[in-house]
Amino acid sequence: MKRLVTLMLVVVLAMALTGVASAESGKIQLVGMCWGSTAQYDEMTKAILATNPDLVDKYEISWVLGGDGDTALAEKLRLALSSGEQLCDFCVLNYTQVPEFSRAGVLTDISAALDPYQATMTTAAKTMSQYDGKTIAVPFEVKTKVWYYRSDIFDECGVKAEDIKNTDDLIAAGKKIQEKYPKSYIWNLGHNAPGYSYYLTLAGNGASFFDKDGNYNIASDQGTLQMLNDYKKMVDAGVIADISDWTPDWEKALSDGTIVSQLGASWLGQQIFLPTYSGDVNKWKVTLWPEIGGTDKGSDAGGSVMVVPTLSKHPAEAAEFIAYACLSEAGSQCAFATTGSLPQNTQVLSGEDLFTAQKDGYFGDSYARAQAAAADKFAIFNYSPNASAEQNIVVEYFNKAVNGEMAIDQALSAAQNDLTTMVGNAFN
């Protein structure tokens, strides 16, 4: 937060300079900023505008690249806001970055733009639109908590995913599969497991690393303790592979039956991930998580959102467009078609058309149906403005605790010490 102190000085000037102006073409020019590539966003925008002649006549929308990933984009936005440079009218962030920018007062209140959609927004969408009582974001990609499993191997071993309700059931299922396939595992948590593997559970079980004043208290946090106890229990039972995500070994294990299920999030089902990694195997299905670490609720960092910086030249218009793009029936269906992000409009989700269209897909309609059901179990971790720094510290200790390199209480005490020493306070 120290690097954002100067942003508050910029806000007053920015708001004075912000106004509505038309481009020479007669249309209002809106600039969005994303990460990775602009191609998908250009395609999505073109499809969305085609659904609404009024928007076509009113707006001309272009996208600029903020960096390879969300971290690079956030840093670029920080620098722009601190210097008063107007980079974009709206941008894509991960929800983990929202607390930082919201508490700095550099995100526009967009409640008026969301009002027309409140009645049809899912619980997940409403949750992601808010931070600290303010409506400052439009949910773009809701990363629901879903479970992928090899239906062929489960069926062959007499394991029914719907009967697995909790950690003990998952361990029993893993052992039953190993009776026939001794080298197969029901999940993986390598020594370098990524943060989302833990936060998927922490998001739903009430865990928090700090108290109401921002003082770190992770050593006594019951949600964190419960998560680590259950994860270590699974590792100790021998049903979890010592393979880390985003490694060649991980991709190979997903294709050759070494890993027969993945407790993950909705993004893993996108074509570029699991369907690609699993090779010729087309037997994966999707369902909801069992209760692990005291919960079956959660999400992977909430997901990505679109926000309007206070330096936007056209804040009201930017808010109108992103709200339509992500929350209207037509807009959200276009976004789903181009990005795979499940619509967060209850009217779209209540019909069968969306699911019927998925029946011939890689997962059949189980992917869309699981995401829709998981939206009712959606929860976001209590992220602070220093979320990135906190994650870098705690995940190292989580991995050591789960893999038996440190006792859980020792790992949490060490994490609290490092948080206090290196970060200081969650809110500063």
Side-chain angles (χ1 to χ4, degrees), residues 368-382:
R369 290 191 184 280
Q371 289 186 69
D376 292 331
K377 296 178 177 292
F378 184 85
I380 301 177
F381 181 69
N382 184 27

Side-chain angles (χ1 to χ4, degrees), residues 170-175 178 184-188 233-241:
L170 189 75
I171 291 172
K175 289 184 175 294
Q178 288 178 336
S184 290
Y185 300 87
I186 206 155
W187 193 23
N188 64 290
K233 185 178 184 180
M234 292 187 289
V235 170
D236 289 348
V239 297
I240 306 297

Side-chain angles (χ1 to χ4, degrees), residues 79-98:
L79 294 173
L81 289 166
S82 63
S83 66
E85 180 184 4
Q86 196 273 328
L87 285 179
C88 59
D89 294 291
F90 59 93
C91 67
V92 183
L93 293 175
N94 262 331
Y95 190 86
T96 53
Q97 296 153 339
V98 167

Side-chain angles (χ1 to χ4, degrees), residues 56 59 120 210 292 353:
V56 172
Y59 298 131
T120 56
F210 48 86
I292 295 174
D353 291 347

Side-chain angles (χ1 to χ4, degrees), residues 2 6 17 26 124 135 155 177 225-226 247 250 256 282 291 313-314 324 340 378 385 412 418-419:
K2 294 183 178 64
T6 57
L17 294 175
T135 303
D155 289 346
I177 289 170
L225 178 63
Q226 192 170 13
T247 62
W250 182 53
D256 67 13
N282 192 9
E291 183 177 300
K313 290 182 179 179
H314 312 292
Y324 178 85
F378 184 85
L412 291 179
D418 283 4
L419 288 169

Side-chain angles (χ1 to χ4, degrees), residues 205-272:
N205 74 356
S208 181
F209 300 160
F210 48 86
D211 63 21
K212 62 182 179 62
D213 298 316
N215 301 307
Y216 288 110
N217 59 2
I218 189 174
S220 59
D221 180 67
Q222 292 304 300
T224 306
L225 178 63
Q226 192 170 13
M227 179 275 294
L228 290 177
N229 279 331
D230 268 17
Y231 279 35
K232 189 172 190 304
K233 185 178 184 180
M234 292 187 289
V235 170
D236 289 348
V239 297
I240 306 297
D242 182 12
I243 298 174
S244 298
D245 292 6
W246 310 113
T247 62
D249 287 343
W250 182 53
E251 296 183 22
K252 182 176 183 296
L254 291 170
S255 66
D256 67 13
T258 299
I259 298 174
V260 298
S261 81
Q262 281 281 281
L263 295 162
S266 54
W267 57 262
L268 185 61
Q270 295 178 13
Q271 183 60 45
I272 59 174

Side-chain angles (χ1 to χ4, degrees), residues 15-72:
M15 292 180 68
L17 294 175
T18 299
V20 177
S22 297
E24 292 182 4
S25 65
K27 296 183 180 181
I28 296 172
Q29 294 183 334
L30 298 178
V31 178
M33 188 164 66
C34 61
W35 69 79
S37 170
T38 61
Q40 178 176 256
Y41 294 91
D42 287 333
E43 180 186 357
M44 178 188 71
T45 300
K46 183 178 180 180
I48 289 170
L49 290 176
T51 70
N52 191 321
D54 290 340
L55 294 182
V56 172
D57 293 339
K58 189 174 182 180
Y59 298 131
E60 186 173 294
I61 298 169
S62 59
W63 288 88
V64 296
L65 198 62
D68 292 338
D70 65 300
T71 301

